[in-house]
Amino acid sequence: MRVAIVTVANTVFGFGHYSRCKTIVQEFFSRNAKPFLFLIDSVARHIDKDLSGTTWKRGLPVPEDFDLVLFDLPEQLYRNLPWESYGKRFTVAINMFDYADPRYEDLAFLPMDDEKQETMQMRGDCTRQYSGFQYVVINPQFFQIRKRAKKISQKANKILISMGGADPENLTELAVKAIQTIGLENNCTAIIPDDERRHDLSEIYPNIEYLGYQDNLPDVMYEYDIVIMNGGLTRYETSCLGILSIAISIHQIQYAITERWNTRHCCINAGIGAELSLEKLGGLIWDAVEDESLRRQVFENRFTAVPENGSKKIVDIIYQEMK
């Protein structure tokens, strides 16, 4: 079976969609299918090395060349696809937001809702949707890294700020300022893939350590006691590694997703960035630094936090639905 997997990877939309698709590509390979990765919009130069060994192209696939087309895209790109061109092909979408009608694909996965053991919902006339956190897909390296021994310190010594590939609301700077208010700049590292933005912040806040794009993110992240993030895949990656996270959301939808996740796996849902004061955020960070019990609880729950077979479940269902 020839499979086209369409996604995006840049500093506008981030790297979460791409990371998830790389894992799904490997799952199709394991079943002797022929997956091809298509990256639409601009492609970040940081991932050129990461793409080595993967069959990929820029742009959209020609529908007639494939048996299955899978899309993993932000909403605005999803809406602008030429869906009429794909009407004769089986189409799948992995959505991180519950798009309103109309829907265009045959099969949808919504890996960010309450557990609904493979409950199916009909959307429009033709879309069948599977909802639940069991469809979360992260880099398999996270599951290997978490097996390593790690000491939980009485007081957290290392704080990582990681807002993903895109940070449209400048939440990294908000977190840096909050850390300054509690005097922990020397304990903090910020990952900023965009070279210009990283340089600008390092000029303003020189006591923070700065890193660029990390192609070994699981190894890097595991060295930290606390991760400050904005959601996306990072909420699942930190839970998998057993690291206490502090979530600063871009908007209400992201906040609500983190809140639903938080009912099962503890993180600190700080609020929406535009509504957060430095004093409140600084206080939450300070409490996390001091709370050994909470950080230990998160670490001890790491083996049950995120299912390891999210990509397998998705591909199993795709094969089942295509029969």
Side-chain angles (χ1 to χ4, degrees):
M1 181 168 68
R2 291 172 62 85
V3 182
I5 299 176
V6 185
T7 190
V8 65
N10 56 36
T11 53
V12 176
F13 296 110
F15 303 105
H17 301 277
Y18 163 75
S19 176
R20 185 163 45 242
C21 286
K22 280 274 288 185
T23 302
I24 293 172
V25 163
Q26 294 305 313
E27 181 64 34
F28 276 111
F29 267 130
S30 73
R31 300 171 190 236
N32 297 317
K34 295 180 179 179
F36 296 80
L37 188 63
F38 288 82
L39 295 170
I40 65 174
D41 208 72
S42 58
V43 179
R45 64 175 180 79
H46 312 289
I47 66 167
D48 286 348
K49 178 182 176 182
D50 191 49
L51 283 165
S52 62
T54 302
T55 303
W56 73 282
K57 295 180 179 180
R58 285 184 173 87
L60 288 169
V62 176
E64 291 75 19
D65 292 344
F66 296 94
D67 305 295
L68 163 69
V69 183
L70 184 152
F71 300 97
D72 187 333
L73 297 167
E75 182 174 3
Q76 54 267 57
L77 296 182
Y78 166 96
R79 291 291 179 204
N80 291 329
L81 290 170
W83 285 103
E84 65 280 357
S85 301
Y86 295 98
K88 295 182 180 180
R89 290 293 173 267
F90 192 86
T91 54
V92 178
I94 299 176
N95 306 319
M96 290 308 291
F97 298 105
D98 190 7
Y99 304 155
D101 290 332
R103 297 289 284 271
Y104 306 99
E105 66 274 20
D106 297 294
L107 178 63
F109 292 93
L110 186 68
M112 39 134 283
D113 211 336
D114 294 329
E115 294 281 355
K116 299 175 183 175
Q117 295 295 326
E118 301 182 1
T119 295
M120 295 173 286
Q121 301 176 354
M122 296 305 295
R123 290 296 183 93
D125 295 326
C126 61
T127 301
R128 191 183 299 275
Q129 177 171 287
Y130 286 76
S131 300
F133 288 121
Q134 64 266 43
Y135 304 114
V136 167
V137 177
I138 62 174
N139 184 335
Q141 291 179 354
F142 282 95
F143 299 109
Q144 298 303 315
I145 298 297
R146 71 181 181 181
K147 296 175 184 177
R148 297 178 185 171
K150 182 177 181 179
K151 180 181 178 181
I152 305 301
S153 303
Q154 183 176 358
K155 185 173 182 178
N157 297 311
K158 300 184 70 177
I159 302 169
L160 179 67
I161 302 172
S162 179
M163 299 297 172
D167 186 11
E169 301 297 319
N170 294 323
L171 298 181
T172 298
E173 186 169 11
L174 174 65
V176 168
K177 287 180 177 178
I179 285 169
Q180 276 194 323
T181 67
I182 55 176
L184 294 178
E185 304 99 300
N186 293 326
N187 300 76
C188 181
T189 301
I191 296 177
I192 306 174
D194 185 272
D195 295 338
E196 184 177 350
R197 181 64 178 152
R198 187 170 65 254
H199 175 268
D200 291 344
L201 283 183
S202 67
E203 292 287 309
I204 303 170
Y205 310 102
N207 292 330
I208 303 288
E209 180 183 4
Y210 296 92
L211 301 175
Y213 176 80
Q214 300 295 301
D215 55 9
N216 60 336
L217 184 61
D219 288 279
V220 173
M221 192 177 286
Y222 199 58
E223 297 300 315
Y224 290 85
D225 304 306
I226 296 169
V227 175
I228 304 173
M229 50 90 175
N230 66 1
L233 279 188
T234 310
R235 71 168 68 88
Y236 312 122
E237 293 165 348
T238 53
S239 293
C240 180
L241 294 179
I243 301 172
L244 178 62
S245 61
I246 300 174
I248 308 172
S249 298
I250 297 174
H251 44 60
Q252 184 59 42
I253 294 175
Q254 195 173 61
Y255 177 86
I257 296 170
T258 300
E259 193 63 19
R260 290 200 291 270
W261 179 250
N262 201 26
T263 61
R264 295 163 177 75
H265 310 290
C266 189
C267 67
I268 298 171
N269 201 6
I272 298 171
E275 302 171 1
L276 268 177
S277 69
L278 294 179
E279 291 73 21
K280 178 181 178 180
L281 182 55
L284 291 173
I285 297 169
W286 181 263
D287 290 344
V289 167
E290 295 285 332
D291 198 337
E292 177 191 358
S293 175
L294 180 58
R295 287 184 282 106
R296 187 174 299 279
Q297 175 191 334
V298 173
F299 185 71
E300 290 174 351
N301 289 339
R302 68 195 186 282
F303 289 109
T304 58
V306 181
E308 292 192 43
N309 60 352
S311 60
K312 181 179 184 301
K313 269 186 171 293
I314 287 173
V315 177
D316 280 345
I317 292 171
I318 290 173
Y319 274 84
Q320 170 189 316
E321 294 281 350
M322 288 185 71
K323 288 181 179 178

